[in-house]
Amino acid sequence: MAKPVATRFMIISDTHNFQFGNAEKWYGAFRQPVPKVDVLLHAGDLTERGGLKAYKGVLNMLSSIDAELKLVIGGNHDFSLDGNYWRNHLFEDADPEDIAEHDNAMEIFKGPLAKEAGVTYLEEGLNTFTLKNGAKFTIYTSPYQPEFYDWAFPYERNEDRFNLQDQSAPGVTSIATNPIPDFPSVDIMMTHGPPKDILDWTAHGTVGCENLLRAVSRARPRLYCFGHIHEAYGAKVITWKDDKTLIGAKAIEEQSPQPNVYPNSSSWPINFGKETLMVNAAIMNLQYRPTNAPWLVDLELPRAT
């Protein structure tokens, strides 16, 4: 078996129009110079409420991060990145500029501006990447989360985007067009919202998605990153029970909170299939101030053959 490849990731989320220079005002750690990494992961909420100028600002910020691969998804604040949401929320007398905003937003994130910034915008589904260091990984991404105040990328809690019907909870209807595959098909998961009862607490209780927890318990990736719930920022190593037929909370043996040592990197020797590092990487705190540090993680990935 080929020797695994140590690969450095920077994980961020919920930057909400952040630009370098903002963190210093709030004694935050996300400031230049940013450590060089192999892969940057951004788990959504790039902006406050979308907008073409804001999207270009996001690319400007991300362009200054030194990473071979920069993978980005949208979130519930990025209104016009969600085509269905955007079309359904236009006024009857919307002007042509508003009507065209989703298409123009996609052009920003998938066209020359994104390429120049080194950014790859991902929608829902699986993608596989090979890095210059020889590492290869498959990542599942989705910007969707349970319906939240009629904002972008929603689904109802009795709708399951991530599991097939026979894998869904009782009383839940599968609407999955890109279901998450079983272990060992996924190395990394990145969704905007968290799974149920893991780094998802709020003052009103936990708000994560049961369907996501069921899916991640089947997939057992090495790394699962998300954001959305600013106040639940943190990381845990989830240890799974040996019985891979168990789904959801029943599959969890242990949850172990992990410290953030940024700007140093943490090296977690994840036992693939037995453990998953889960990270809520929201840069903004509950008051939308950039006080939280990115997560810098070294993972051992399989070598491309």
Side-chain angles (χ1 to χ4, degrees):
M1 182 179 293
K3 186 178 179 181
V5 185
T7 303
R8 182 158 295 178
F9 290 81
M10 179 184 292
I11 311 166
I12 58 176
S13 187
D14 296 79
T15 50
H16 295 287
N17 294 339
F18 173 90
Q19 294 293 324
F20 285 107
N22 296 160
E24 286 82 343
K25 304 171 188 175
W26 306 105
Y27 305 101
F30 194 23
R31 55 180 74 184
Q32 295 286 18
V34 174
K36 180 179 180 180
V37 295
D38 298 301
V39 183
L40 172 72
L41 300 174
H42 192 310
D45 274 2
L46 307 160
T47 65
E48 291 283 2
R49 291 176 175 267
L52 303 184
K53 182 178 179 181
Y55 296 143
K56 291 176 182 177
V58 171
L59 292 182
N60 179 65
M61 182 271 289
L62 295 176
S63 70
S64 65
I65 297 176
D66 190 351
E68 177 186 339
L69 185 64
K70 304 174 190 179
L71 304 180
V72 171
I73 62 172
N76 62 293
H77 278 253
D78 305 315
F79 292 169
S80 53
L81 292 181
D82 182 350
N84 288 333
Y85 174 90
W86 189 249
R87 286 185 288 271
N88 291 333
H89 286 75
L90 286 170
F91 294 112
E92 288 186 10
D93 59 348
D95 60 40
E97 187 175 329
D98 285 339
I99 293 171
E101 183 167 325
H102 170 67
D103 290 339
N104 291 334
M106 288 293 97
E107 173 60 22
I108 288 172
F109 275 106
K110 293 192 171 186
L113 289 178
K115 186 174 182 180
E116 185 178 345
V119 168
T120 300
Y121 179 79
L122 297 177
E123 299 180 78
E124 186 175 79
L126 282 171
N127 287 276
T128 299
F129 297 94
T130 301
L131 301 173
K132 292 175 183 176
N133 65 6
K136 180 180 181 180
F137 66 93
T138 296
I139 183 170
Y140 178 92
T141 54
S142 177
Y144 292 89
Q145 71 284 302
E147 195 282 328
F148 187 77
Y149 294 110
D150 193 30
W151 287 30
F153 296 110
Y155 56 84
E156 299 298 329
R157 286 193 179 265
N158 64 353
E159 296 176 331
D160 189 343
R161 297 190 66 90
F162 310 108
N163 302 283
L164 298 174
Q165 191 61 61
D166 64 340
Q167 301 162 334
S168 298
V172 174
T173 300
S174 173
I175 59 169
T177 55
N178 295 289
I180 296 173
D182 289 340
F183 175 83
S185 299
V186 183
D187 294 297
I188 298 170
M189 279 175 54
M190 179 165 66
T191 61
H192 181 53
K196 182 174 174 58
D197 294 334
I198 299 176
L199 302 168
D200 69 333
W201 65 269
T202 73
H204 307 288
T206 59
V207 295
C209 178
E210 168 70 23
N211 307 321
L212 275 174
L213 182 61
R214 293 177 73 87
V216 71
S217 71
R218 290 189 297 101
R220 301 190 175 200
R222 305 168 196 274
L223 170 66
Y224 178 18
C225 52
F226 44 85
H228 188 43
I229 308 303
H230 297 190
E231 57 268 51
Y233 168 87
K236 291 183 175 182
V237 170
I238 306 301
T239 302
W240 304 107
K241 293 178 180 175
D242 292 333
D243 185 354
K244 289 186 172 63
T245 65
L246 297 174
I247 290 182
K250 293 179 180 178
I252 297 175
E253 184 173 289
E254 184 181 3
Q255 298 187 33
S256 176
Q258 302 296 319
N260 193 343
V261 297
Y262 185 87
N264 296 315
S265 179
S266 299
S267 180
W268 280 284
I270 295 298
N271 183 355
F272 189 36
K274 182 63 177 175
E275 297 171 319
T276 297
L277 172 63
M278 296 200 189
V279 178
N280 178 331
I283 293 297
M284 296 291 176
N285 65 11
L286 188 57
Q287 291 74 38
Y288 285 76
R289 295 169 179 168
T291 57
N292 295 333
W295 291 84
L296 215 60
V297 174
D298 289 339
L299 278 184
E300 300 265 309
L301 293 178
R303 185 176 296 276
T305 54

